[in-house]
Amino acid sequence: MVRVSVFGIGYTGTVSAACLAEQGHQVVAVDIDPAKVASINAGRTPIVEERLDELVSTNHAAGRLSATTDIAEAILNTDVSIVCVGTPGEDTGAIGLSYVTALCRSIGAALVERKGHHSVILRSTLVPGTMESVCVPELERASGLKAGTDFGVGYFPEFLREGTAVADYFEPCLIVYGAMDDPTMAMLRELNASLPGEHHAVDMKTAEMIKYTSNSWRATKITFANEIGNIAKSVGVDGQAVMKILCSDHEVAMSPYFLRPGFSFGGSCLPKDLRALRFLANSNDVAAPLLEGVLEANENQIARAEALVKRFEGRTVGMVGISFKPGTDDLRESPLAALASRLLDGGYEVKIYDPSVKAAYDEGMSGAGRGNDRIGDLPERLVGDLKDLIALSDIIVVGHRYKEAVAPLSALIGDKPMVDLARIAPGVVTGDAYEGICW
């Protein structure tokens, strides 16, 4: 059993804290937001994520999971700190490090009073070299101690997908970590010992680069599939059929999850990390035309969806889904939110069916509406019953393929104007009153 403090009760932090506690470790989650701390201490999750509510509740009840706003207290009473605060993108595209640097300074100050070895491990997404050039110097300046000698430092990127994060944690697709010192490397091995799959112990800069490479590769595959789908449709070919056959070639390790023509990518990672990697390349005078093209093509897919809506008559649009991904309430850089904003600006009335987002608002979760910077009156636009949404709408936009929505929406194909971004009925292609974005 390891005593762990997890800094940041956001998406990655909450999942990491709950799963570490489930593994039997003693975990204290730390955040400056009293509402999030109160949520954990009441045995409730502050965000929507499958199985997370159960893990938070059971581990809090078992005494393995608690939360605090007191950074020093957390450092003094744990063996390792895991930093999961956000690194939002700046207007230039550069990675935003204000949360990371502020927390490194606070942790460094607390380390002065800490007796015995303590490791500081970051999970926040950082461009290659950030640990060495920013995090370590900040920790050393604030503590007056020597990293790698007086305290440990490591980097442990996460590869959790929202909506399946708990399953991803316990059955990881990739385990990568790096450290400056042997005790921290040993700590990382212990924290991951029970997890299946190959463990990749590398230097910190390589670990940072693997995280960006993974996210950029996933984003690139989505855009590639969309472009193929758009071209295929233009010549009367089903783009999904093309990509499905291409993905049967497992020898080149193509993942069908991403190589499936559809709508734009979004969320807290892929757009931001692509911009940051592009910024890094430009800063080092390295040409990166594909990264430029991926971001442009992703925006084009949103414009394409808007154009498809405008082909139909009617002024009330019912959107099925508004979060960036089904099964989560996260709206950070959601392409569906961007589409809704475009339609609102164009004079359309927009109604929205999204069970996870509505649940977050209805239950008063502290994270409700996180990432929403496009729809000011979002709660008022949410409709709890799909039948009501259908009745209110002139045009249906299918953004997410919810199980309960498949049958009623499939029954509407050809009868009610529909723009399908998620393929509600496999095999159906564009026809009367129905537009599939890539088929």
Side-chain angles (χ1 to χ4, degrees):
M1 185 272 290
V2 178
R3 298 181 304 165
V4 185
S5 52
V6 176
F7 287 85
I9 309 179
Y11 173 74
T12 301
T14 305
V15 172
S16 296
C19 291
L20 283 164
E22 181 70 8
Q23 288 175 293
H25 302 297
Q26 193 71 34
V27 182
V28 56
V30 189
D31 203 286
I32 60 173
D33 186 343
K36 292 180 178 179
V37 169
S39 251
I40 297 293
N41 285 332
R44 292 184 285 103
T45 173
I47 63 171
V48 174
E49 179 65 38
E50 187 175 355
R51 291 180 58 193
L52 190 56
D53 193 52
E54 174 192 351
L55 291 184
V56 171
S57 176
T58 57
N59 283 287
H60 175 264
R64 289 189 297 269
L65 178 62
S66 61
T68 183
T69 58
D70 192 326
I71 294 173
E73 178 189 10
I75 297 291
L76 290 173
N77 292 290
T78 57
D79 307 306
V80 57
S81 295
I82 298 179
V83 175
C84 300
V85 297
T87 52
E90 297 181 351
D91 291 342
T92 61
I95 184 173
L97 294 174
S98 58
Y99 299 141
V100 169
T101 54
L103 187 52
C104 283
R105 287 192 288 269
S106 296
I107 291 174
L111 285 173
V112 176
E113 304 299 324
R114 178 69 164 80
K115 295 180 180 179
H117 191 272
H118 189 90
S119 292
V120 181
I121 297 170
L122 275 86
R123 296 209 85 180
S124 303
T125 303
L126 305 173
V127 294
T130 304
M131 285 296 298
E132 295 175 0
S133 65
V134 177
C135 298
V136 168
E138 290 286 359
L139 287 165
E140 290 183 331
R141 274 193 293 269
S143 66
L145 304 173
K146 181 67 175 176
T149 303
D150 300 321
F151 64 92
V153 176
Y155 185 65
F156 177 30
E158 50 82 18
F159 301 94
L160 307 175
R161 297 170 297 168
E162 294 196 33
T164 58
V166 173
D168 288 346
Y169 186 97
F170 290 114
E171 296 181 9
C173 62
L174 193 59
I175 300 175
V176 179
Y177 46 74
M180 286 184 68
D181 55 288
D182 291 339
T184 301
M185 189 65 85
M187 180 76 70
L188 285 162
R189 289 194 178 99
E190 182 176 355
L191 292 174
N192 289 281
S194 65
L195 301 179
E198 184 177 359
H199 294 204
H200 302 272
V202 296
D203 62 87
M204 294 191 299
K205 189 180 290 188
T206 298
E208 290 169 320
M209 188 66 198
I210 288 170
K211 170 63 176 178
Y212 269 97
T213 301
S214 174
N215 279 1
S216 296
W217 174 226
R218 280 184 262 175
T220 300
K221 287 190 288 185
I222 292 169
T223 298
F224 174 72
N226 286 342
E227 289 193 1
I228 293 298
N230 294 342
I231 296 167
K233 179 182 175 180
S234 73
V235 295
V237 174
D238 185 337
Q240 287 195 353
V242 171
M243 294 306 298
K244 183 178 180 180
I245 293 170
L246 184 64
C247 289
S248 68
D249 180 7
H250 297 294
E251 293 301 317
V252 292
M254 292 191 194
S255 169
Y257 182 85
F258 293 104
L259 287 172
R260 183 178 183 274
F263 197 42
S264 304
F265 59 82
S268 61
C269 296
L270 302 190
K272 169 180 71 73
D273 293 348
L274 265 175
R275 288 193 295 268
L277 196 59
R278 179 188 62 180
F279 182 87
L280 180 67
N282 291 339
S283 298
N284 292 328
D285 296 321
V286 176
L290 178 60
L291 299 185
E292 296 280 354
V294 168
L295 291 167
E296 181 179 351
N298 199 52
E299 287 297 316
N300 288 345
Q301 202 72 351
I302 299 173
R304 179 180 176 84
E306 180 188 12
L308 293 179
V309 171
K310 290 181 176 180
R311 291 182 185 180
F312 294 119
E313 293 183 2
R315 303 305 298 174
T316 302
V317 177
M319 295 189 64
V320 180
I322 195 67
S323 61
F324 95 92
K325 184 180 180 182
T328 176
D329 61 327
D330 198 340
L331 286 105
R332 286 176 289 181
E333 298 209 42
S334 167
L336 290 172
L339 175 59
S341 178
R342 283 171 175 257
L343 294 172
L344 289 167
D345 289 344
Y348 287 87
E349 174 62 17
V350 177
K351 299 294 183 181
I352 299 160
Y353 172 82
D354 192 310
S356 294
V357 173
K358 194 167 193 313
Y361 278 111
D362 289 349
E363 295 174 24
M365 290 186 177
S366 56
R370 71 189 189 282
N372 176 32
D373 57 359
R374 295 178 178 271
I375 309 169
D377 56 351
L378 177 58
E380 289 74 33
R381 296 187 179 278
L382 293 170
V383 177
D385 192 308
L386 181 62
K387 291 181 181 178
D388 292 340
L389 182 88
I390 292 170
L392 289 167
S393 305
D394 301 317
I395 305 164
I396 299 291
V397 174
V398 183
H400 293 330
R401 195 176 187 273
Y402 298 116
K403 288 181 181 178
E404 74 276 12
V406 171
L409 291 178
S410 296
L412 292 177
I413 293 176
D415 293 328
K416 188 164 204 141
M418 181 182 296
V419 175
D420 194 349
L421 312 178
R423 200 157 213 184
I424 198 70
V428 176
V429 296
T430 294
D432 292 341
Y434 176 85
E435 282 281 356
I437 191 166
C438 291
W439 49 87

